[in-house]
Amino acid sequence: MNEIINTLNSRPCVNIISGGNDTGKSMLLNHIFYESFPKIKLLNLIHVDFRKFPCNSVHDFANAISKCTPKTYFQNLCDYLSDAEKVEVLGLINLEFYKKPEKFTFSDLNNMFLIIEKATPLFMETKYTNVIFFDEVNMLNNLYKTEEGKLAAEYFFNWITLFTKQSEKF
């Protein structure tokens, strides 16, 4: 647990916790993210648990991202933005990120990731640590059943790699 907390306090990176079924991986991370780490530093968390949100299509994937990104993720920026920035950034986010189409498309998914991407540099000046926690990420394999799903999965993995390995924002 201390090793994971120390990692969260250092530079951003992709961390994979792996192990057999029912070995306590999710319980450990839930304990860290919801109980231990917030006592040390403020945490800005997007937590997508694919046990609760099946990922059989691009719609499912985008729906999970939309529902699991709490509005507080973006509202935490308010203390650090000028009034003009608040209006611009929060207006865009509220209009675009949380819209509820009948069916999410790849374009909607792309826009969600772009909004997270635009907001993230603003957090670099704040007291928050940004974390995206995907639980049961192996469920993304279901996306590879369609060409659009395959494109979405590849886009996501490229995006998350850019954000952690190259630009170190998460």
Side-chain angles (χ1 to χ4, degrees):
M1 199 161 74
N2 288 334
E3 186 177 331
I4 293 169
I5 290 172
N6 288 337
T7 299
L8 288 170
N9 278 320
S10 65
R11 68 181 187 82
C13 58
V14 173
N15 291 285
I16 298 172
I17 308 295
S18 64
N21 290 340
D22 297 321
T23 57
K25 301 175 299 292
S26 296
M27 188 176 1
L28 170 68
L29 291 175
N30 278 307
H31 178 75
I32 289 170
F33 291 142
Y34 292 102
E35 295 176 35
S36 298
F37 194 76
K39 293 175 185 169
I40 300 166
K41 194 171 179 183
L42 292 174
L43 186 65
N44 209 26
L45 179 68
I46 297 173
H47 178 186
V48 183
D49 184 349
F50 287 114
R51 282 178 285 247
K52 297 176 184 172
F53 295 95
C55 202
N56 297 314
S57 67
V58 170
H59 168 77
D60 290 347
F61 189 25
N63 188 45
I65 299 298
S66 176
K67 287 185 176 176
C68 295
T69 303
K71 288 189 178 187
T72 55
Y73 184 84
F74 300 111
Q75 290 167 345
N76 287 335
L77 282 173
C78 286
D79 294 339
Y80 301 93
L81 297 176
S82 69
D83 288 341
E85 289 173 316
K86 284 180 197 177
V87 170
E88 183 181 335
V89 172
L90 294 177
L92 169 70
I93 289 164
N94 288 331
L95 287 173
E96 294 296 321
F97 199 89
Y98 295 106
K99 66 181 180 179
K100 303 289 184 217
E102 194 170 305
K103 182 172 180 160
F104 283 105
T105 65
F106 178 77
S107 179
D108 295 320
L109 179 66
N110 181 54
N111 286 338
M112 285 183 223
F113 284 125
L114 289 175
I115 290 168
I116 293 170
E117 189 175 325
K118 286 179 182 178
T120 303
L122 300 171
F123 278 108
M124 303 305 276
E125 304 299 319
T126 73
K127 56 190 172 190
Y128 290 93
T129 296
N130 289 328
V131 173
I132 299 179
F133 171 27
F134 288 95
D135 204 351
E136 293 297 325
V137 76
N138 58 308
M139 298 290 215
L140 290 177
N141 286 332
N142 294 336
L143 286 174
Y144 285 89
K145 294 176 183 173
T146 67
E147 281 303 311
E148 185 184 46
K150 182 179 176 183
L151 181 66
E154 289 173 0
Y155 171 78
F156 167 71
F157 287 116
N158 287 332
W159 181 83
I160 202 73
T161 300
L162 281 170
F163 251 69
T164 55
K165 291 291 185 192
Q166 293 179 8
S167 63
E168 298 184 348
K169 293 180 180 161
F170 275 95

